[in-house]
Structures are given as C-alpha cells and as structure tokens.
C-alpha cells in the first residue's frame, strides 16, 4: 500500500508506481545486484583518502563542472583497456551510468520522441523513458536471447525512434552483442527517420557496456567504432568490474556532438569534487581495481557448467550464455518466487528478474559461491516436491 497521501499533486502517470530497486537486505551472501564482491585494496583506500583530504579545503568552492581531469582519465583508461584514444571532448562523466542514461533520454527523448530497445533488457530503460515523457518500444530478441537484428531494423523503420538502446553484454541475460550486429544497426540508423524531427535528423545508437570488462579476452568494445560512426554513444561504468559501485561514477564515449548535447541537459556541477577525487584515485590504481576480473570470469564459467548439471523436476537447468559477471539460469522454474524465498531463508540473496521461469545470480567470492551451490541444491529438491 502506497504511503503517498492522495492529496499530493503527484503526476497522474506516476500514481501507483513504486521506486525501482533490488532488495537491500542484510544477508550473509548477497548475489543480487551484480557488484564486484571484492573490496578495494588498502592502497586504493589510502589513495582515495589522500585525494579527498587534498581537496577538502576547497569544498567551499564549486567543482570543475566540466571535470576535465577526470575525462582525461577516462581517455587514458579506454586507450589501455580497448586500444582506442579519444579526446576529452569525446568523453563525459556522471553519477553512475544511470545518470548517463537519464541525460541521454533528456537530450534525445522527450514528448513526441520514442526510444527503442530489445527485450529482455535492463528494467530501468522504461523508467528513464517515463521520467522524460519519452515513448518506449521494444523489438523481441531470439529465443536464445541473442539480438534479432532483422526484427530490430524493422522496428527502427516502423517506430522511427530517436534512440536505439542495446546492452552489451545484455542485462539481465549476459548475452554478448557482436560488433557486426552493432554495425548493421548503426548503418540503418545513419539514414533512418526520427518521428517528429526535421528532415535529415537520424537516430543515435546507445550501447550500454556496463559489464564489458567481463567479456571474453580478445573481444572488441563498441568504442572501437566511434571514429567511424558519429551516431554511436557507448556508456560505461566504474561500478562493476572496477569495484566502485558505492562511488557512483559512469561515463560516456561518443562524438563531440553527442557530448555537447549531454552538456546542455546536465545539472550545474553535477559531479562533486569528492566524487571526482575518488575516481581519479581509483584510476591511479587500475591494476588493483581490476585484479579480480579474471577470477570472476573463471567463476562465471565454472558456475555455468555446474548449473547445467543441476535439474528441476527432471529437466536440466538452462543457462544463458554470458560474458558478464552474472548468470541467468533455470528456464523452467514454475515456482521461481518460492525458490528465491527458500534461498533467502538460507542467507543467499539472488534476483527474480528476466523472463518467467528464470533467476539471476551474480558472481561472489569463492566462499559465497559455495554457499550458493549448497543452498540451491537443497532448495530445488524442496520446491519441486511441493
């Protein structure tokens, strides 16, 4: 039951809505929000503390609203991580990739505009659309959760969106998105119409790479396509692989034109001096921050293989192909809420998300994954006997 008094003039379209968010519960094994389970090393913590201490006497002044030093750090990191050197004018930071996405909707969405995604996809996208009065449409993915490029292109021609949003790896499925598919979409959007816009205006393509550092080695990032596609925007975050979820730092790589559009809608001084200082300290220790990525990748592969050996009502569990730090599994769970509840009783928190019949688990420490395996083995037998 909502606690919002009926006499408050809440927007009509928000009446009855609930705030977004996965459960935040104090449990021994938290595997539901795709965090990096390993805390920053002490050297990183000390570097953050020093950076913040250094700027503390300046907190009576506003921070650099263009966060130039941090944008240069983004550039240096992408050069190292993806082999692509972008200028400061081709990069933009915000409070997590959630704010990056909201700014994209503010800049390119709005009344009369439509954003197009491919479901299943990140559940916040329709909320960004709602909050910016942007229409939200979907093209359905293939049965194995790969992108149905032909269906998406048909929708682009029919819907005439201002934005096409694709996740790589996909959330909540973990499915990789081949660059050849991205290029097909980019090519179509370079000449596609945008409903309600002037002639000659074409959609942008947003690739959400929140989990891209967990991709298989040798897989190129979509940032490698920016130089040849001015209609491409690639969203990244420090929350996941970089073990920096609590700092709230996301960034966008795109043409200068797209970045300048973001600058129009950003709030004044949206990135605090403390946030900028903490992020710069983390980039000074990139090796330490990313040191557990390979282990988490191996944990994902081992967990996927183990899940495939498990059964529910006599049927082996399905496991979606993943290049993220989580796995969507099940496929045939007719009582997924009961499975979730029984796991929670045993101190293991995962996520009820995605299509019916599926559950999602993110990769934890070795000890946490052992507790997950033990609990799931027990729970599946209990629920299938009900």
């Amino acid at each position: 039951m909502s606690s919002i008094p009926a006499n408050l003039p809440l927007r009509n379209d928000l009446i009855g809505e609930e705030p977004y968010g996965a459960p935040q519960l104090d449990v021994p094994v938290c595997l539901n929000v795709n965090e990096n389970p390993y805390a920053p090393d002490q050297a990183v913590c000390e570097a953050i503390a020093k950076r913040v201490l250094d700027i503390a006497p300046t907190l009576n002044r506003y921070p650099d609203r263009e966060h130039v030093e941090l944008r240069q750090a983004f550039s240096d990191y992408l050069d190292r991580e993806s082999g692509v050197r972008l200028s400061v004018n081709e990069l933009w930071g915000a409070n997590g990739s959630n704010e990056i996405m909201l700014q994209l909707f503010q800049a390119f969405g709005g009344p009369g505009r439509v954003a197009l995604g491919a479901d299943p996809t990140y559940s916040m996208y329709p909320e960004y659309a709602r909050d910016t009065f942007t229409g939200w449409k979907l093209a359905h993915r293939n049965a194995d959760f790969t992108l149905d490029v032909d269906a998406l292109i048909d929708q682009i021609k029919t819907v005439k969106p201002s934005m096409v949003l694709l996740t790589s790896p996909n959330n909540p499925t973990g499915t990789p998105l081949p660059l050849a598919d991205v290029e097909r979409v980019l090519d179509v959007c370079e000449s596609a119409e945008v409903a309600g816009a002037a002639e000659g205006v074409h959609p942008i393509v947003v690739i959400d790479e929140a989990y891209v550092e967990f991709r298989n080695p040798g897989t190129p990032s979509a940032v490698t396509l920016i130089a040849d596609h001015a209609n491409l925007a690639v969203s990244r975050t420090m929350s996941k692989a970089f073990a920096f979820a609590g700092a709230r730092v996301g960034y966008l790589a795109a043409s200068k034109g797209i970045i300048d559009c973001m600058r129009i809608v950003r709030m004044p001084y949206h990135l605090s001096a403390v946030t900028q200082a903490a992020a710069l300290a983390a980039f000074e220790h990139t090796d330490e921050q990313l040191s557990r990525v390979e282990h988490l990748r191996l944990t994902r592969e081992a967990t996927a293989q183990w899940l495939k050996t498990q059964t529910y009502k006599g049927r082996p569990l399905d496991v979606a192909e993943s290049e993220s730090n989580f796995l969507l599994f099940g496929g045939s769970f007719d009582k997924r809420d009961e499975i979730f509840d029984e796991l929670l009783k045993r101190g293991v928190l995962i996520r009820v998300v995605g299509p019916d019949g599926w559950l999602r688990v993110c990769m934890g420490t070795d000890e946490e994954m052992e507790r997950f395996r033990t609990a799931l083995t027990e729970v599946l037998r209990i629920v299938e006997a009900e």
Side-chain angles (χ1 to χ4, degrees), residues 104-368:
L104 284 164
F105 273 81
Q106 289 172 318
F108 300 103
R113 296 289 180 87
V114 175
L116 176 65
D119 70 326
T121 191
Y122 183 36
S123 56
M124 272 299 295
Y125 294 157
E127 298 208 14
Y128 303 138
R130 178 201 67 192
D131 293 348
T132 57
F133 302 97
T134 306
W136 176 245
K137 297 291 184 180
L138 291 164
H140 300 303
R141 290 175 174 268
N142 295 313
D144 63 356
F145 304 130
T146 56
L147 186 66
D148 187 335
V149 182
D150 291 334
L152 182 69
I153 289 173
D154 286 343
Q155 279 287 72
I156 291 170
K157 294 176 180 177
T158 301
V159 172
K160 301 179 181 179
S162 58
M163 287 190 296
V164 178
L165 283 83
L166 301 171
T167 46
S168 179
N170 188 40
N171 182 6
T173 66
T175 315
L177 178 61
L179 284 195
D181 290 350
V182 176
E183 289 184 285
R184 284 188 63 193
V185 176
L186 285 165
D187 290 343
V188 169
C189 286
E190 284 171 352
S191 59
E193 297 179 16
V194 173
E199 185 177 352
V201 174
H202 308 297
I204 66 165
V205 178
V206 180
I207 306 298
D208 185 346
E209 289 192 339
Y211 301 92
V212 73
E213 282 94 346
F214 295 105
R215 69 194 185 277
N216 293 335
T219 303
S221 160
V223 298
T224 59
L225 303 176
I226 289 173
D228 296 323
H229 297 279
N231 62 332
L232 171 62
V234 182
S235 174
R236 291 278 192 109
T237 184
M238 296 179 72
S239 294
K240 308 302 181 181
F242 229 87
F244 222 49
R248 311 307 301 128
V249 181
Y251 55 105
L252 188 74
S255 65
K256 181 180 182 297
I258 290 177
I259 299 301
D260 283 344
C261 293
M262 301 285 279
R263 293 174 62 241
I264 291 173
V265 300
R266 62 109 169 95
M267 297 295 289
Y269 313 106
H270 70 293
L271 271 179
S272 78
V274 173
T275 297
Q276 294 182 46
L280 287 167
F283 276 125
E284 289 172 356
H285 293 269
T286 295
D287 287 339
E288 294 95 320
Q289 290 297 88
L290 297 177
S291 62
R292 303 314 205 295
V293 168
E294 176 60 21
H295 183 70
L296 289 169
R297 191 184 293 123
L298 294 173
T299 300
R300 177 193 73 208
E301 293 305 307
T303 303
Q305 291 306 311
W306 178 82
L307 284 167
K308 291 176 182 177
T309 69
Q310 305 306 299
T311 62
Y312 178 71
K313 295 187 176 181
R315 174 179 170 177
L317 301 186
D318 292 324
V319 181
E321 179 186 2
S322 176
E323 290 194 16
S324 63
N325 69 331
F326 57 81
L327 292 165
L328 192 73
F329 69 98
S332 61
F333 291 145
D334 55 349
K335 297 180 179 180
R336 67 173 179 175
D337 290 326
E338 287 87 340
I339 294 171
F340 171 88
D341 291 339
E342 289 293 335
L343 286 171
L344 188 57
K345 290 176 184 177
R346 289 157 179 79
V348 178
L349 178 62
I350 63 170
R351 189 77 182 270
V352 177
V353 71
D356 289 341
W358 297 82
L359 291 165
R360 191 186 71 191
V361 60
C362 73
M363 300 302 102
T365 65
D366 293 346
E367 295 78 13
E368 289 171 335

